[in-house]
Amino acid sequence: MADTQTVETEPDKKQRSVRVVLLALMITMMLAMLDNMIVGTAMPTIVGELGGLEHLSWVVTAYTLATAAATPLWGKLGDMYGRKGVFMTSIVLFLIGSALSGMAQDMGQLIGFRAVQGLGAGGLMVGVMAIIGDLIPPRERGKYQGMMAGVMALAMIGGPLVGGTITDNWGWRWSFYINLPLGVVALGLISVVLHLPAKRAQARIDYLGAALLTVGITSIVLVTTWGGTEYAWTSARIMELIGIGVAALVGFVFWQTKAAEPVVPLHIFRSRNFTLMSIIGFITGFVMFGATLFLPLYQQSVQGASATNSGLLLLPMLGAMLVTSMVAGRVTTNSGRYYVFPVLGSVLMVVGLYLLSMMDTGTSRFTSGVFMAVVGLGMGCLMQITMLVAQNSVEMKDMGVASSSTTLFRTLGSSFGVAIMGALFNHRVQDTMAERGGALGSKVTEQSAQLDAKSLEKLPDAVREAYQYAVSAGTHSAFLLGSIVAVVSLVAAVFVKEVPLKGAGPQKSADDAAPAPLVEV
């Protein structure tokens, strides 16, 4: 009888332990997503104390570069040497970078310490996704999509609010120190509860491949960051970076065919679904980060919304994304079917972005909220499904590189989205201001096409109205481009092949429940 009782309670214990691990993973995911949004709010205060306004952009760029370059390396290291130890190392490195950034005494130190923080951050999201891939079979993973989408929405809405509150009450240094207690809690939970099989690869790390990939990614991110802002798109510096980036990536691809333990095994791209999910992930990143950049700008400049609650302005989009992600996850878990979601998500994204491109100076907040919700519904169908299908398309030994590659494509997509949509927006705003605002209009936007609330208040009524018209024209161009780009996602989604998800569904037998024993109970 005692044995029977133990057998009956074992699944509950395992399920509870999985939830504890997932709590730690969600905290880590929150750290990865929240950091830039909190720090962004604190930047004016940081510059006021440390100076170095001319180097301000490098505080964000150093972090972004380090994160993008490190992402594929962390995934490969996890595959080679074991997921748990590599993941915990990335958390520790992130926390060290956070502590050092909080103690920075000048802008140079802050930029350097942000790079350290970014190196650690590259392993956070990849580690979360890969460990979830190890613990939970794809058929069951849909149940947890809502949790991940909720963390993402919370970070985007709460980031600016939390950043402003911390900076105003505790000082800007606590925008970095706040990571420490959260990170320590996550480390403690992971070290005690999570147990994954230890690995020890015999092959050496592919240092040449890692170096070529790092140079290639760094060049791409610098081109998208500097192009049209620091340097003209046709300048010698941008052309040099493009040449270096292309040469490094071509060399990287060639070397991956020769390396004994390649950083990104090219055979994973032989899977049609994995390649298609990489494309869809790139487009989703392109659209999502472009939307989150220009929607608050439009609502503040044209609709007169308060910048203080800028995160709340995205609530219709993020709320719709959260709900749809939860529904998509449940349907996928219960039915094992997922083909409809990439297709439906891409259609909604195309339609939503086209509707956003139709906004003008007379569009109400309710109407723009409905348009945002349509985009959110589309992204909710895509955000987690892309990772789920990508992981389902590779063997378990490649789970880390599959997760890191998918994350990297989304990161690169966001870099291109912000850069290209931003360049188009700025060009349209400046042209419209020159046309409608005259000489004063051109002077107002010659430094930047994005004006803050204080600058807007100082403008004469006629110039302010011209600027509002210019911003609506700029957002029209940016979102129309996003809608056209999103068509690529729809084309890719149509060719997805619905391969059965690994792991049994609700009718699984006890023998099929493989992931649970990986967690200590």
Side-chain angles (χ1 to χ4, degrees):
M1 180 69 74
D3 291 341
T4 303
Q5 187 174 6
T6 302
V7 171
E8 290 174 347
T9 59
E10 195 70 16
D12 293 334
K13 288 182 180 180
K14 289 174 180 175
Q15 187 67 23
R16 190 162 54 248
S17 296
V18 169
R19 286 174 181 164
V20 173
V21 172
L22 284 173
L23 173 63
L25 295 179
M26 292 306 106
I27 292 173
T28 310
M29 187 175 172
M30 177 72 78
L31 288 174
M33 301 202 65
L34 203 59
D35 187 77
N36 257 344
M37 296 186 179
I38 289 180
V39 173
T41 311
M43 286 311 296
T45 308
I46 294 174
V47 171
E49 181 173 327
L50 298 183
L53 179 61
E54 67 275 14
H55 303 304
L56 175 64
S57 63
W58 273 105
V59 175
V60 175
T61 302
Y63 180 90
T64 305
L65 277 176
T67 301
T71 293
L73 305 183
W74 286 114
K76 184 60 180 179
L77 289 172
D79 285 341
M80 291 177 67
Y81 299 110
R83 205 84 63 209
K84 178 179 176 179
V86 170
F87 182 51
M88 293 179 68
T89 301
S90 71
I91 296 176
V92 170
L93 186 58
F94 178 82
L95 296 182
I96 290 172
S98 299
L100 291 173
S101 295
M103 293 186 286
Q105 299 301 307
D106 58 49
M107 192 61 79
Q109 289 183 10
L110 180 60
I111 291 169
F113 296 149
R114 283 282 283 167
V116 174
Q117 192 184 21
L119 289 174
L124 299 186
M125 190 69 76
V126 172
V128 168
M129 295 301 179
I131 289 172
I132 289 175
D134 279 348
L135 289 178
I136 305 165
R139 181 69 183 268
E140 299 296 312
R141 214 172 294 155
K143 288 192 282 190
Y144 303 98
Q145 282 184 205
M147 187 186 301
M148 290 183 277
V151 169
M152 187 176 299
L154 184 62
M156 290 187 172
I157 295 171
L161 299 175
V162 172
T165 302
I166 289 174
T167 304
D168 291 341
N169 294 285
W170 297 349
W172 67 266
R173 297 182 186 277
W174 276 97
S175 62
F176 296 105
Y177 293 150
I178 194 68
N179 295 328
L180 302 180
L182 292 173
V184 169
V185 169
L187 274 175
L189 291 174
I190 290 167
S191 64
V192 171
V193 181
L194 178 64
H195 273 241
L196 295 171
K199 299 178 184 177
R200 185 67 191 178
Q202 299 300 317
R204 295 181 61 189
I205 297 173
D206 178 16
Y207 292 106
L208 178 57
L212 289 170
L213 183 60
T214 300
V215 171
I217 292 172
T218 300
S219 299
I220 289 172
V221 174
L222 284 177
V223 167
T224 56
T225 303
W226 284 349
T229 53
E230 298 286 328
Y231 303 96
W233 285 104
T234 55
S235 67
R237 180 60 56 87
I238 297 299
M239 292 297 107
E240 288 169 2
L241 285 171
I242 291 174
I244 293 170
V246 170
L249 292 178
V250 170
F252 170 76
V253 171
F254 173 77
W255 177 248
Q256 293 308 279
T257 64
K258 309 291 184 184
E261 193 67 47
V263 176
V264 180
L266 298 183
H267 66 78
I268 62 176
F269 291 98
R270 292 175 190 158
S271 165
R272 182 171 77 181
N273 276 4
F274 181 84
T275 302
L276 293 173
M277 288 303 122
S278 298
I279 294 170
I280 293 172
F282 180 92
I283 302 300
T284 305
F286 188 106
V287 167
M288 182 176 180
F289 285 89
T292 54
L293 176 65
F294 294 110
L295 282 171
L297 177 64
Y298 168 83
Q299 292 190 305
Q300 291 169 38
S301 300
V302 179
Q303 296 181 327
S306 168
T308 306
N309 298 321
S310 58
L312 296 176
L313 301 175
L314 299 173
L315 192 56
M317 183 176 74
L318 298 174
M321 185 177 74
L322 172 60
V323 172
T324 314
S325 186
M326 293 175 66
V327 171
R330 285 292 176 181
V331 171
T332 301
T333 296
N334 293 333
S335 68
R337 309 298 293 271
Y338 56 80
Y339 176 81
V340 66
F341 294 114
V343 175
L344 178 61
S346 298
V347 169
L348 288 170
M349 201 159 61
V350 171
V351 172
L353 287 164
Y354 180 76
L355 291 173
L356 288 176
S357 75
M358 295 294 101
M359 296 189 302
D360 56 28
T361 53
T363 304
S364 67
R365 291 192 192 180
F366 174 79
T367 302
S368 61
V370 172
F371 294 168
M372 282 191 280
V374 176
V375 176
L377 292 172
M379 289 195 295
C381 291
L382 295 173
M383 287 300 294
Q384 305 304 331
I385 288 291
T386 51
M387 181 66 74
L388 172 66
V389 178
Q391 290 180 335
N392 189 60
S393 304
V394 301
E395 299 177 33
M396 187 64 75
K397 67 182 180 65
D398 292 323
M399 187 66 69
V401 291
S403 303
S404 63
S405 298
T406 307
T407 304
L408 177 62
F409 276 105
R410 188 176 296 173
T411 301
L412 293 177
S414 68
S415 294
F416 276 91
V418 169
I420 297 173
M421 293 173 76
L424 190 61
F425 172 86
N426 291 341
H427 181 72
R428 186 71 187 274
V429 168
Q430 288 168 344
D431 282 355
T432 307
M433 284 296 284
E435 179 185 329
R436 297 177 70 96
L440 180 58
S442 297
K443 187 176 181 181
V444 165
T445 57
E446 66 182 358
Q447 295 297 324
S448 173
Q450 302 177 27
L451 304 181
D452 57 27
K454 290 182 180 178
S455 301
L456 274 175
E457 290 173 4
K458 296 176 183 177
L459 296 178
D461 290 344
V463 178
R464 188 186 308 115
E465 289 176 7
Y467 181 71
Q468 290 173 339
Y469 182 87
V471 168
S472 69
T475 52
H476 165 77
S477 298
F479 286 125
L480 186 59
L481 172 67
S483 179
I484 294 169
V485 170
V487 172
V488 177
S489 175
L490 177 57
V491 173
V494 168
F495 289 97
V496 170
K497 183 180 179 182
E498 192 167 66
V499 178
L501 294 174
K502 298 170 185 174
Q507 292 81 25
K508 66 180 180 293
S509 66
D511 293 337
D512 292 326
L518 296 176
V519 183
E520 186 180 58
V521 294

